[in-house]
Amino acid sequence: MDHGYVHVYTGDGKGKTTAAVGLSVRAAGAGLRVFFGQFMKNGDTGELEALHLLGDRITVEQFGTGSELSAIDPAADARAARAGLDRARAVLFDGRCDVMVLDEANVADSLDYFEPGALLELVRERPENVELVLTGRGAGEEVLAAADLVTEMRAVKHYFNDGVVARRGIEF
Ligand code: ATP
Ligand code: MG
């Protein structure tokens, strides 16, 4: 790509991670190399299995220790997140992908899992030919300001509020 842009999918409505998965599938279909990193998550998610089916056009790695929004050991989760951001930075600056998704990076950032300013620095200093997508509720103001595209998913209704917890294949 000649020029990549920075996307942020945030807000409390459903669709942030699935939008990033959809974009990744589209990019892979068009022959772009995708790196899909998931913070806060560890274990089989439908998207992990599905993206693996796309072969070497997509690399998926998880940088979490528990399920999102409910880390069992926050200190371990923070360490895993920092290591994940280091890994993402290495992939990014080695030119090994055209599209990089950092799923739930906004959540990890809002929990202060990363070094202060580290996510913002990655956004600002990324190679300009990489499309970078950050997902997760609670995106920071400076990250929002640095992005080229911000979509806020707004929960007009969400069945979570009726007690429907995450379901395999639909939410993970
Ligand atoms: P999807 O992966 O379906 O695209 P998303 O990425 O937009 O959704 P997240 O913010 O990552 O959604 O939400 C993760 C999980 O949080 C959801 O699976 C849902 O079960 C749960 N959830 C939804 N609303 C709330 C809420 N108000 N408080 C806490 N957890 C919620
Ligand atoms: Mg999500």
Side-chain angles (χ1 to χ4, degrees):
M1 281 194 300
D2 294 336
H3 187 86
Y5 294 91
V6 179
H7 307 208
V8 176
Y9 306 151
T10 192
D12 60 358
K14 180 172 169 66
K16 301 173 291 293
T17 297
T18 47
V21 170
L23 185 81
S24 299
V25 169
R26 173 182 285 162
L32 298 176
R33 297 161 307 155
V34 179
F35 181 89
F36 193 100
Q38 286 197 306
F39 292 93
M40 322 295 296
K41 294 177 184 173
N42 178 33
D44 47 316
T45 57
E47 60 267 27
L48 183 76
E49 301 298 318
L51 294 177
H52 277 323
L53 296 174
L54 292 164
D56 58 11
R57 288 189 186 181
I58 299 195
T59 303
V60 193
E61 295 183 14
Q62 291 183 320
F63 310 128
T65 59
S67 72
E68 72 196 278
L69 311 176
S70 60
I72 296 145
D73 178 349
D77 220 34
R79 280 194 300 277
R82 279 196 294 275
L85 197 65
D86 288 344
R87 165 79 179 138
R89 198 181 292 113
V91 171
L92 190 61
F93 289 100
D94 274 5
R96 279 181 271 154
C97 66
D98 303 299
V99 176
M100 173 169 282
V101 175
L102 298 179
D103 186 36
E104 313 303 346
N106 300 327
V107 179
D109 198 27
S110 70
L111 292 171
D112 293 326
Y113 277 6
F114 302 138
E115 298 292 338
L119 184 65
L120 184 63
E121 190 178 310
L122 183 140
V123 168
R124 288 185 175 155
E125 295 178 5
R126 80 188 196 290
E128 71 160 14
N129 58 345
V130 176
E131 196 91 4
L132 178 65
V133 180
L134 308 179
T135 86
R137 44 185 81 199
E141 287 302 329
E142 290 176 311
V143 167
L144 292 175
D148 302 296
L149 178 151
V150 176
T151 298
E152 182 170 15
M153 275 69 177
R154 183 169 68 92
V156 176
K157 283 187 179 182
H158 198 307
Y159 43 59
F160 180 86
N161 299 312
D162 298 322
V164 181
V165 295
R167 293 165 298 157
R168 170 124 174 108
I170 307 297
E171 272 82 34
F172 69 97

